[in-house]
Amino acid sequence: MSDSAQAREREWLHERGVPYLVDDMVKAILIDRPDDCDPMEYFLVFLENGGSGIPTDPASRGVELDYGGGGHGGGGGMMKAARGMKRSFTRQRKINWRYISRKLPAGRSTAEVRQRRELFRLFDPNGNGYLSLAEVDKGLRDIVQLDDVFDCKPAIIRAFNAAKNVHKGRSRLGPDFVTRSEFRLLCVYLRRYFELFVMFDRMDQNDDRRLGFGEFTDALPQLEKWGVHVYYPEAQFNQIDKNGGGMILFDEFADWAIQYSLDIEDDDDDPDDDFQNFGSNLSSMHIGTLLCASFWCARGQGGPPKRMKGHFTRGRTFDYNKLAEAMPSGRSRLEFARRDEMFRLFDPNGNGYLSLAEVDKGIRDILRLDDLFDAKPAIMRAFQASKNAHKGRSRLGADYVTRSEFRLLLEYLRRYFELFVMFDRVDEGDDRRINEQEFISAGHKLEAWGLTVADLPGEFKKVDKNGGGQILFQEFCDWALEKHLSESVPP
């Protein structure tokens, strides 16, 4: 190695604060470096191979070499080395989270503010007060030297888009660049999106930067360690897969992980308040607006099964216990967790309110209860009974089911479905109305459901409140609830 080359390498190390002792150790490592190999590329390969077995043939090193531009800054070699890393570089690898947090100071202490100010100055070589994506990318590589983060281009892009234009100003350049006032948020988001990328990469078994349904289900135990128990894997997968392509991309995973506040088990941080409020600060990212893709369309089945018509209860029995299990309305911790996940799945736009259409769609696509889905009068009655049960001040609350009313909705869906089944068994003419003759003929059924009526014609007139000569479903429900009729519970 020539004296000029040694001098360049020593200068490069000293500019980055490398002490003479470490400098001498590095020089000892580089003494066997081939003349045609960039020193930084050689040093990175040395570290990745544990200091042994470094091939001298560039073609066999497994790293694309770039001898031009490596020179004094060592940038070219480092970039090529980073690009040559395996895609699944996090698997079975310990990430030094404390080191990354120190390198990306996001706190509000005097020392961190001073460190962040100096870091912004170094990231901003032309001193215009704005950081482009390229400048942030270069700063991560050359200034803070976080190779792990630098290699996670999807995380960098997401963090940059999240931070830019958070503090809206009058500058013409502001919306497309990160300003000094937004730099602290950029550090927060870089740290957080890198963590999300590590999670995503650990789930991505075949290293194609996409998650298939099999990979998602295989990672359910891992997801539970990160803070979410998935009770409805198929429905959850299809909701994360916004475009319905059958694969989860990193952007889609990140949106979902943020909504559920996933936190990797081996990091050192507590949930960051700045990131918890990310969705409200950045409307352009649409955090929480997870568009529900239909399970049937995603599986190529051409849509849900067609509705059954007419007298669908004739000769059929229904498993009410299974129905109750599908709609957890209890107060145990497990049922609360299942209900919370179900509400998120029912609420595709994340606004905290469920419309009748969203409930109807959730019964079909999330719960896949085809019998209940076909009982439209029962769904409408349950929705009307539960909405606005907890009166609030929200403008939308009176016409929608809120999260606090969702448990009641599930109870009412179960109960009104049973009432609809009984109503349909009495309605022999399949016209969704019960005439007097049908009511009298159903006396034995009423006894089986817990009610003995001595005067059936007289009772019919009591049930027919509007005197129209027909019992409608709403009238039947009011009467059946008062008399405590039940098909599922023996009299």
Side-chain angles (χ1 to χ4, degrees):
M1 185 187 302
S2 65
D3 293 340
S4 60
Q6 290 183 3
R8 284 198 306 271
E9 291 167 4
R10 184 176 293 273
E11 181 182 355
W12 188 91
L13 293 167
H14 286 174
E15 285 178 353
R16 285 152 179 78
V18 178
Y20 282 104
L21 176 61
V22 179
D23 188 354
D24 292 337
M25 294 170 63
V26 172
K27 302 308 292 183
I29 294 172
L30 295 178
I31 216 167
D32 295 326
R33 175 180 64 88
D35 291 336
D36 64 342
C37 180
D38 179 83
M40 278 308 302
E41 182 273 329
Y42 181 87
F43 189 64
L44 285 172
V45 174
F46 180 92
L47 295 177
E48 289 175 2
N49 283 273
S52 63
I54 303 176
T56 57
D57 177 17
S60 63
R61 291 175 193 147
V63 180
E64 184 181 356
L65 304 184
D66 178 20
Y67 304 130
H72 176 74
M78 184 181 292
M79 179 178 293
K80 295 300 182 181
R83 289 175 180 171
M85 295 173 70
K86 290 182 179 180
R87 285 191 170 185
S88 185
F89 64 92
T90 66
R91 193 168 298 138
Q92 298 179 346
R93 181 176 182 180
K94 184 71 174 177
I95 304 295
N96 191 336
W97 297 103
R98 290 185 182 277
Y99 178 77
I100 292 174
S101 298
R102 286 198 304 269
K103 286 285 191 173
L104 299 171
R108 299 179 185 274
S109 66
T110 302
E112 287 178 297
V113 170
R114 187 181 299 113
Q115 182 184 358
R116 199 161 52 244
R117 186 181 299 121
E118 175 64 15
L119 199 59
F120 184 89
R121 185 187 66 80
L122 294 173
F123 271 51
D124 182 26
N126 54 18
N128 66 354
Y130 295 94
L131 298 182
S132 67
L133 178 60
E135 288 172 330
V136 171
D137 191 57
K138 189 174 186 298
L140 290 171
R141 183 193 68 195
D142 296 343
I143 308 302
V144 295
Q145 299 181 35
L146 291 174
D147 296 337
D148 289 337
V149 180
F150 172 73
D151 196 46
C152 295
K153 292 298 184 282
I156 297 173
I157 293 171
R158 287 282 293 184
F160 183 84
N161 287 328
K164 70 185 181 78
N165 203 32
V166 168
H167 299 158
K168 295 177 174 60
R170 300 179 180 178
S171 171
R172 179 177 58 84
L173 299 179
D176 297 318
F177 295 84
V178 171
T179 63
R180 187 182 298 275
S181 63
E182 296 162 341
F183 188 61
R184 188 185 73 84
L185 288 177
L186 176 65
C187 293
V188 172
Y189 297 150
L190 282 170
R191 165 66 176 78
R192 180 58 169 142
Y193 275 115
F194 175 68
E195 179 181 358
L196 295 178
F197 187 83
V198 170
M199 295 180 189
F200 182 82
D201 188 72
R202 289 180 180 176
M203 296 171 65
D204 179 20
Q205 298 173 8
N206 60 1
D207 305 332
D208 61 351
R209 296 288 171 90
R210 300 180 301 174
L211 299 178
F213 182 67
E215 292 173 314
F216 183 74
T217 54
D218 288 346
L220 292 181
Q222 190 69 61
L223 289 171
E224 189 164 2
K225 292 181 181 179
W226 297 336
V228 59
H229 186 104
V230 178
Y231 296 96
Y232 308 95
E234 289 179 333
Q236 196 71 265
F237 179 87
N238 284 289
Q239 190 176 57
I240 302 172
D241 177 24
K242 296 178 186 178
N243 60 13
M247 305 294 289
I248 296 176
L249 307 179
F250 174 65
D251 284 2
E252 295 169 333
F253 174 79
D255 287 345
W256 176 76
I258 291 166
Q259 188 185 41
Y260 280 85
S261 304
L262 265 62
D263 184 48
I264 206 164
E265 78 278 9
D266 57 357
D267 70 347
D268 65 325
D269 65 332
D270 295 322
D272 194 296
D273 291 338
D274 292 307
F275 206 82
Q276 298 303 316
N277 297 326
F278 175 43
S280 59
N281 291 338
L282 190 65
S283 59
S284 63
M285 294 298 292
H286 304 292
I287 298 301
T289 59
L290 303 178
L291 306 178
C292 183
S294 168
F295 170 83
W296 305 99
C297 294
R299 292 293 181 270
Q301 297 184 18
K306 293 182 179 179
R307 290 180 55 197
M308 301 176 67
K309 296 181 180 180
H311 200 81
F312 72 92
T313 65
R314 186 171 294 137
R316 297 178 63 194
T317 58
F318 297 91
D319 189 344
Y320 291 105
N321 290 328
K322 182 178 179 181
L323 187 69
E325 173 63 24
M327 296 187 292
S329 58
R331 299 180 182 275
S332 68
R333 184 170 298 182
L334 174 61
E335 288 178 296
F336 177 83
R338 289 182 57 201
R339 199 161 54 242
D340 181 68
E341 181 184 359
M342 189 185 296
F343 185 88
R344 292 174 185 263
L345 293 171
F346 272 52
D347 183 23
N349 56 15
N351 65 356
Y353 296 93
L354 298 182
S355 67
L356 178 59
E358 289 172 330
V359 171
D360 192 56
K361 191 173 187 299
I363 291 171
R364 183 193 69 192
D365 294 344
I366 308 302
L367 301 182
R368 300 171 63 189
L369 295 173
D370 298 335
D371 291 333
L372 176 58
F373 175 73
D374 194 48
K376 290 294 184 284
I379 296 175
M380 293 175 65
R381 286 285 295 175
F383 184 83
Q384 294 295 331
S386 56
K387 74 182 181 74
N388 206 31
H390 299 160
K391 294 178 174 59
R393 299 179 180 179
S394 171
R395 178 177 59 84
L396 299 178
D399 297 318
Y400 295 83
V401 171
T402 63
R403 184 183 294 273
S404 63
E405 298 161 342
F406 189 59
R407 188 185 69 82
L408 289 176
L409 173 66
L410 297 180
E411 285 188 352
Y412 290 146
L413 282 170
R414 159 68 179 79
R415 183 64 174 128
Y416 278 112
F417 174 72
E418 182 182 7
L419 294 176
F420 183 77
V421 168
M422 292 190 285
F423 179 85
D424 190 72
R425 295 195 193 281
V426 177
D427 176 26
E428 295 291 339
D430 302 337
D431 57 356
R432 298 289 171 89
R433 296 178 296 178
I434 299 175
N435 59 35
E436 184 174 355
Q437 184 58 45
E438 289 173 329
F439 187 78
I440 294 173
S441 299
H444 65 288
K445 295 178 182 177
L446 296 178
E447 290 183 7
W449 298 335
L451 178 66
T452 301
V453 180
D455 181 13
L456 286 170
E459 193 70 22
F460 176 84
K461 290 182 174 61
K462 292 179 182 178
V463 181
D464 179 22
K465 293 181 179 179
N466 62 7
Q470 302 280 344
I471 296 177
L472 305 179
F473 177 61
Q474 180 175 342
E475 294 172 328
F476 179 82
C477 286
D478 294 341
W479 173 74
L481 288 172
E482 180 184 349
K483 300 297 183 180
H484 305 289
L485 264 64
S486 176
E487 183 181 65
S488 61
V489 181

